[in-house]
Amino acid sequence: MVYKFTKSGEKVIENASDVVIYLGHNYIGSEHILYGLAKEKNGVAHKVLEKQGIYADLILRKIEEIIGKSNIIISNGVGFTPRSKKIIENAYVESKQIGSDYISTEHLLIGLLQEEDSVAFKILIELNCNMDKMYNEILNVLNEYGDTDNSKNDKNNKSLGKTLNQYGTDLTLKAKNGKLDPVIRKTKRNRKSNRNFI
């Protein structure tokens, strides 16, 4: 299956690939994806990891401690391990659940957190990461910063719009059409008249 990534999501995979070459490894594993997430400063995942004191340089040190560094020169590109493929698959499922066709950094982080037997998960534990708090932080950062990956297409906004239309009420439209509840209209008038006394 071909997965589509946002610009930040693509950058995570690029960062992972770069660190693989730097370390002389011949595969992209969960640990490299974790490094890529921490390195991509425009992503939600970076902000979430940063709030827990987890930075790309710390992850790199942990990868070197656990797996080591080789002098092998990689020339023909590298493939994904079965575990990292599963992380991307998890991320895809997460993105589809919110109606997006694109995988972004927060989806990759959630996908990674679901793989508890991975090297990346072990690194997060060694760096004293609180996994439950991490999930909550993803929501908090999304609420605080909004969509930090501005390359998402309009389809995401359309799906959000559909949800708002389904469960919300457009008060502006009701006001224009004179269909607001009389209590709301009266309150508005009272607020205007009170301004003269302030």
Side-chain angles (χ1 to χ4, degrees), residues 20-37:
V20 162
I21 292 164
Y22 169 76
L23 292 167
H25 298 169
N26 58 0
Y27 60 87
I28 295 175
S30 64
E31 62 278 16
H32 305 113
I33 292 173
L34 179 61
Y35 172 86
L37 288 166

Side-chain angles (χ1 to χ4, degrees), residues 137-149:
E137 284 293 346
I138 292 168
L139 294 174
N140 290 340
V141 168
L142 283 170
N143 288 333
E144 185 179 340
Y145 294 98
D147 179 12
T148 57
D149 185 357

Side-chain angles (χ1 to χ4, degrees), residues 4-5 35 41 53-54 57 62-63 109 133 164 166 181 188 191:
K4 293 186 275 186
F5 295 86
Y35 172 86
K41 293 184 179 177
I54 297 169
D57 59 333
K62 283 289 177 190
I63 294 171
L109 182 56
K133 193 176 176 187
L164 287 172
Q166 185 178 356
D181 185 304
K188 275 187 158 183
R191 203 176 297 143

Side-chain angles (χ1 to χ4, degrees), residues 88-98:
I88 293 170
E89 188 181 314
N90 293 345
Y92 173 74
V93 169
E94 285 298 321
S95 70
K96 290 306 277 180
Q97 284 179 352
I98 62 156

Side-chain angles (χ1 to χ4, degrees), residues 43-198:
V44 170
H46 169 81
K47 290 178 175 39
V48 169
L49 291 165
E50 190 177 57
K51 283 185 176 229
Q52 293 226 13
I54 297 169
Y55 300 93
D57 59 333
L58 294 174
I59 295 166
L60 180 58
R61 268 186 256 145
K62 283 289 177 190
I63 294 171
E64 289 185 84
E65 276 175 32
I66 296 167
I67 297 163
K69 187 176 176 184
S70 162
N71 293 326
I72 297 170
I73 297 168
I74 309 295
S75 55
N76 347 342
V78 291
F80 291 89
T81 63
R83 177 80 62 196
S84 57
K85 285 179 184 174
K86 182 72 175 131
I87 288 167
I88 293 170
E89 188 181 314
N90 293 345
Y92 173 74
V93 169
E94 285 298 321
S95 70
K96 290 306 277 180
Q97 284 179 352
I98 62 156
S100 175
D101 289 331
Y102 288 81
I103 298 170
S104 193
T105 64
E106 62 271 23
H107 306 132
L108 285 166
L109 182 56
I110 291 170
L112 187 145
L113 292 174
Q114 291 170 355
E115 294 300 308
E116 296 181 15
D117 292 333
S118 67
V119 174
F121 201 88
K122 180 181 179 181
I123 289 170
L124 288 171
I125 288 170
E126 288 186 11
L127 293 173
N128 299 315
C129 178
N130 180 329
M131 303 305 173
D132 293 331
K133 193 176 176 187
M134 184 82 83
Y135 281 106
N136 291 331
E137 284 293 346
I138 292 168
L139 294 174
N140 290 340
V141 168
L142 283 170
N143 288 333
E144 185 179 340
Y145 294 98
D147 179 12
T148 57
D149 185 357
N150 56 16
S151 71
K152 287 186 181 178
N153 66 359
D154 291 337
K155 207 163 190 182
N156 291 349
N157 295 332
K158 284 177 187 166
S159 76
L160 180 61
K162 282 181 192 171
T163 306
L164 287 172
N165 289 337
Q166 185 178 356
Y167 298 107
T169 302
D170 188 342
L171 293 176
T172 307
L173 183 64
K174 280 194 167 191
K176 282 180 185 173
N177 296 332
K179 293 184 178 179
L180 270 180
D181 185 304
V183 175
I184 295 172
R185 277 187 275 161
K186 187 174 183 198
T187 306
K188 275 187 158 183
R189 264 187 258 128
N190 288 347
R191 203 176 297 143
K192 281 181 184 172
S193 62
N194 287 341
R195 278 194 206 133
N196 298 332
F197 300 106
I198 297 173

